[in-house]
Amino acid sequence: MITQFNRSAYTGQLTRDMLARVDSIIQNEDYPMTDSSAINAEMYVEAATTSIFEHYLGEYGAKIANCLAEANREMPPIVRALIGENSYCRPQVPDRQISWGITRRDNKLKVALLVEKPNSHAASVADSIKAAYQGSVIRFTAARAHSSPPQHRVPRTEWSLAPGSSIAHKEGFPGSIGCLVRSLDDGEDWPGLVSASHVLSKSNRAKSGDAILVPGHPDGPRINTNQCGSLARFLLLADYDQEALESNYLCCTDAALVKFERQKSCRHTLPDATYVPDPKDPDKLMPVCEVIGGDVVAERLGERVYKIGRTTGLTEGVLELVGVQRQIILISSKEYVYTNVLGVRPIPGSVTPFSRPGDSGSLVYTHDGKGIGLIIGGNEDISWLSPLDACLSELNVKLLN
């Protein structure tokens, strides 16, 4: 959908610069490089916004995108921006934070403007755009959604390699197993598990070959019988760093791959597919055999979706947003700016959020068993997802079935 500033090229550029920044932690051959030149992050946001809005809303959407391009330049997210030979980077404050995406209201696709604080500068910008383009929707939500270490151990008599089980780097905090996959890299033909990169990579501090445990600590002890495999590869994430302004980038996908290795001491066995609770009868399991993305996911806006996670188990929500740009998520007290994410809100009347700390990496799926995303983080009001199709594509894997 996005041409010059496409996700793969941007991810490749991020990877090159991040490896230069953290070249001691992982082998470069784990990441295929691109030949693209440096890509301006603010222009990427604007190109992505124009492409997505015009695709779904035609000329009307393109006009709104032009207004948002002005807002993007006035209130840049905390990412790299190039002007001539100079780099500049400005941290954001809540009353100037705005993000946007596509939502559905009255059975019509509309632009959603997301601001953190009423009576703020960002809210006034959103108000002016809504006044000029009727049908735009303003939603007040905590833009800085959280993905935090879980506070408590989850007691369970038995953990398995099924979606929703506790998983962690041997020295990290736990998240959730998302889905079971098979590697498509050249020379590889082995099964594995996918979860969130910020969990399994310890926010880029891990290295290939590190032991991965099920369950993760403190849900279980750090012992060899809990090792389910090793960290094969993960997608690098760029947090805002005052000391390295030239390396501040958008985060495009948040996923990591574990190679399943049945060692002598391992007590785990790998299921033959990704099985999740059937929303119609949660005591029964159904396979997730298909990943959907793009227009197919957008058609599901307003529909019920489901998640199975380590902390909250099976929850039900409503797919609220697609194509969200400039979304800030706090991970272990650091700010990350994500692009092209999905948003899910709790069902009306729910007293619990769709996800909580420890659910990062959880698989989100539809009532008919289509995988759409992996949990990054959230709050009481909304949860943010990496699109599953993009995550699996970047990791070069396919669903195991």
Side-chain angles (χ1 to χ4, degrees):
M1 187 180 296
I2 301 164
T3 53
Q4 182 181 1
F5 303 101
N6 65 79
R7 179 171 53 215
S8 294
Y10 192 91
T11 301
Q13 181 63 35
L14 181 155
T15 301
R16 273 200 302 277
D17 283 11
M18 286 292 289
L19 284 172
R21 177 169 154 188
V22 293
D23 58 359
S24 63
I25 65 171
I26 197 161
Q27 297 177 2
N28 291 19
E29 56 264 26
D30 287 338
Y31 294 95
M33 300 292 100
T34 68
D35 295 325
S36 62
S37 59
I39 297 176
N40 181 317
E42 290 190 22
M43 291 179 64
Y44 177 92
V45 168
E46 294 168 22
T49 301
T50 299
S51 181
I52 291 169
F53 283 17
E54 187 171 11
H55 177 77
Y56 288 116
L57 300 170
E59 185 178 350
Y60 178 77
K63 291 179 179 178
I64 301 178
N66 286 336
C67 290
L68 290 172
E70 296 178 11
N72 189 52
R73 293 169 198 146
E74 179 194 359
M75 299 184 291
I78 47 175
V79 293
R80 181 183 186 184
L82 303 177
I83 297 183
E85 297 180 352
N86 300 317
S87 290
Y88 74 92
C89 196
R90 292 179 285 182
Q92 202 59 272
V93 292
D95 68 348
R96 298 178 67 83
Q97 172 54 31
I98 184 171
S99 53
W100 49 76
I102 297 291
T103 190
R104 188 186 299 277
R105 290 289 189 277
D106 303 322
N107 207 30
K108 294 181 180 179
L109 295 180
K110 298 185 178 183
V111 170
L113 308 170
L114 312 175
V115 295
E116 190 162 330
K117 294 177 62 177
N119 305 315
S120 63
H121 179 69
S124 67
V125 171
D127 284 334
S128 65
I129 293 175
K130 182 178 180 181
Y133 298 96
Q134 296 297 318
S136 300
V137 176
I138 297 177
R139 198 179 195 284
F140 293 99
T141 185
R144 289 165 169 77
H146 293 255
S147 180
S148 307
Q151 300 300 312
H152 305 287
R153 172 178 176 268
V154 172
R156 191 179 294 184
T157 56
E158 184 66 27
W159 293 96
S160 69
L161 299 187
S165 286
S166 171
I167 188 170
H169 185 280
K170 64 179 180 179
E171 297 172 353
F173 63 82
S176 301
I177 295 176
C179 56
L180 283 67
V181 298
R182 183 168 292 279
S183 176
L184 298 177
D185 263 11
D186 290 342
E188 295 182 352
D189 184 23
W190 42 257
L193 306 146
V194 168
S195 185
S197 177
H198 71 265
V199 172
L200 298 187
S201 76
K202 300 196 304 174
S203 298
N204 302 336
R205 299 193 307 276
K207 63 181 182 297
S208 293
D210 282 356
I212 302 299
L213 306 180
V214 173
H217 185 76
D219 303 326
R222 294 187 173 104
I223 56 178
N224 289 339
T225 53
N226 283 346
Q227 183 173 344
C228 66
S230 60
L231 184 60
R233 49 187 177 269
F234 58 87
L235 302 173
L236 289 161
L237 303 172
D239 64 278
Y240 177 68
D241 187 344
Q242 288 279 9
E243 302 302 319
L245 298 183
E246 73 284 354
S247 296
N248 286 315
Y249 273 87
L250 296 162
C251 299
C252 297
T253 41
D254 190 334
L257 173 64
V258 178
K259 181 180 181 181
F260 174 69
E261 295 170 314
R262 183 158 181 78
Q263 301 175 2
K264 201 169 188 179
S265 60
C266 178
R267 60 184 177 82
H268 293 299
T269 57
L270 194 73
D272 60 0
T274 298
Y275 293 100
V276 293
D278 187 335
K280 297 186 291 294
D281 186 355
D283 291 330
K284 295 182 179 180
L285 297 178
M286 66 179 186
V288 176
C289 296
E290 184 179 353
V291 176
I292 58 175
D295 292 352
V296 181
V297 170
E299 291 172 0
R300 302 281 186 134
L301 279 166
E303 290 188 12
R304 299 289 175 96
V305 292
Y306 306 86
K307 177 220 96 262
I308 180 67
R310 169 254 184 207
T311 304
T312 56
L314 179 64
T315 56
E316 183 179 6
V318 176
L319 181 60
E320 174 83 356
L321 296 154
V322 299
V324 178
Q325 306 296 320
R326 300 168 41 106
Q327 183 56 50
I328 294 179
I329 299 177
L330 288 178
I331 299 174
S332 299
S333 301
K334 291 184 178 182
E335 289 185 318
Y336 295 75
V337 185
Y338 283 80
T339 180
N340 300 334
V341 295
L342 313 176
V344 174
R345 60 177 171 82
I347 59 174
S350 175
V351 296
T352 59
F354 187 67
S355 64
R356 280 189 166 138
D359 288 329
S360 293
S362 297
L363 178 66
V364 179
Y365 58 97
T366 62
H367 71 91
D368 51 351
K370 315 293 186 186
I372 67 169
L374 299 175
I375 293 286
I376 306 170
N379 50 45
E380 300 294 313
D381 183 53
I382 198 163
S383 294
W384 299 109
L385 289 58
S386 266
L388 185 59
D389 61 332
C391 290
L392 300 191
S393 175
E394 294 291 348
L395 291 173
N396 199 21
V397 298
K398 66 176 182 179
L399 275 181
L400 184 66
N401 54 51

